[in-house]
Structure formats: C-alpha cells, structure tokens
Amino acid sequence: MDTIVRVMRPDEFEAMRELSVAAFGDDAQIRLLLNLLHDSWAWEHDLSFVAEHSGELVGQVLFSHAFLDTSSGVLDVLVLSPIGVRPDLQRTGIGGQMIRTALAALAARNEPLVFLEGHPSYYPRFGFRQAGPLGFVAPSARIPAAAFMVYTLPAHRPGVTGQLVYPDAFWRAGAVGPPG
C-alpha cells in the first residue's frame, strides 16, 4: 500500500477528527478530546500527523503539549494520543508507519520526551519504555504502570525525572486511564 505520512493541514481537522472517531468505534470521548485539545494551549498544528492513501485520509496520530513537573521546574514535553487508522485498514502497518515517521520528525524539535498510555506489548517496538522505572510519575493513579510509557528524543538530558501533568483536555474528556 502506497501511504504517505505528513503533517495535517489545518483545514483537515474535521476530516481527521471523524476518521479518529470511526477508528475508535464511533467513540464520542475521542471527538470530545480532539475538540478540547484543538481549542487549547496544548495544540500545535505541526504535531498532528495524518496518513494519506490515494488522496484520502486513512490514519492520524496526534501529539500535544504537556508538562513534566521536575525538581528544577516545569519542562515542556509531548503526549502521543490519540492514534487511529480507518477500521478497514487497521492491522496493515499504517499505525506503525505513522508512529515511526512522526517520531523521526519530532527528533528535530526542542521537546525532550514523548509520553503515552498504551498497550505494553505494542509501543516498545518503536522505542517506548515503561516510564516508572526511569523515574517518571504518571499523571493519575488510574494509569496501569505497564501502560505508562516514555520515548526519549534527542533533546533529552539524562537525569531528568518528574511527574507528567496532562493538559486539562484529557481530564475534561475523561481520557485518563483505562476506560471505565
């Protein structure tokens, strides 16, 4: 499949949101999360990536700004969430292609870390590691330790630890921890 991964154009937000909602089984929580993030301080257009096939959007991965509360102050970091692929194309490698391409693009930025809540057997193949043993504290006790992961970008300096502070959009959308 000839798929291109690129930064989403601002005029594609609605199409990207509907694609993501469909990828999660028409989940209203994803729609709310994307709307809240899009209208918040955590949103940056250059952090939303889409997969395009034959001129059609087939996948999306979003990174948003968050904070790491460290002993020496607050550090700007990124959170990967959500990621989705059109239902009929799931499990075809598009999600992995988006993650690899996006992480390569993020390597040129100033943020040192990318955090996520995710499946512990899927994300390590991209370089994500469990964050707790590295000295990072999850933003909520509801997040399983194995699901709280971090990826280090080139701007990372060893010895930095602290607690991840999610943007308020995640809390307002109820998108923290496993589904209840």
Side-chain angles (χ1 to χ4, degrees):
M1 178 177 278
D2 188 25
T3 303
I4 298 167
V5 177
R6 61 173 173 77
V7 172
M8 180 190 81
R9 295 187 312 266
D11 67 339
E12 294 176 310
F13 174 75
E14 289 183 25
M16 178 276 288
R17 181 188 58 213
E18 296 313 308
L19 167 69
S20 191
V21 168
F24 282 87
D26 202 25
D27 189 341
Q29 182 184 55
I30 294 297
R31 177 179 280 111
L32 178 60
L33 175 63
L34 287 168
N35 286 340
L36 290 169
L37 283 170
H38 187 255
D39 294 338
S40 78
W41 61 269
W43 181 270
E44 183 179 331
H45 287 295
D46 290 345
L47 295 174
S48 181
F49 295 84
V50 293
E52 181 181 332
H53 177 70
S54 299
E56 193 175 328
L57 296 186
V58 297
Q60 66 75 222
V61 60
L62 178 66
F63 298 83
S64 54
H65 290 277
F67 297 118
L68 186 68
D69 186 12
T70 74
S71 60
S72 59
V74 175
L75 188 62
D76 186 22
V77 297
L78 300 173
V79 172
L80 185 166
S81 181
I83 179 171
V85 175
R86 200 172 74 188
D88 63 313
L89 295 174
Q90 291 176 359
R91 301 189 189 287
T92 63
I94 293 172
Q97 181 183 352
M98 288 190 303
I99 292 170
R100 283 188 295 280
T101 301
L103 290 174
L106 295 178
R109 295 179 56 95
N110 293 326
E111 295 88 1
L113 301 162
V114 177
F115 290 90
L116 62 77
E117 291 178 45
H119 200 284
S121 67
Y122 180 73
Y123 290 96
R125 72 187 74 181
F126 307 107
F128 283 89
R129 298 182 290 165
Q130 286 187 5
L134 299 174
F136 299 106
V137 179
S140 171
R142 290 178 285 158
I143 299 171
F148 179 52
M149 289 182 256
V150 65
Y151 179 90
T152 56
L153 292 166
H156 174 66
R157 299 294 167 249
V160 173
T161 61
Q163 180 163 11
L164 179 63
V165 179
Y166 272 155
D168 61 330
F170 283 89
W171 299 100
R172 292 173 51 207
V176 178

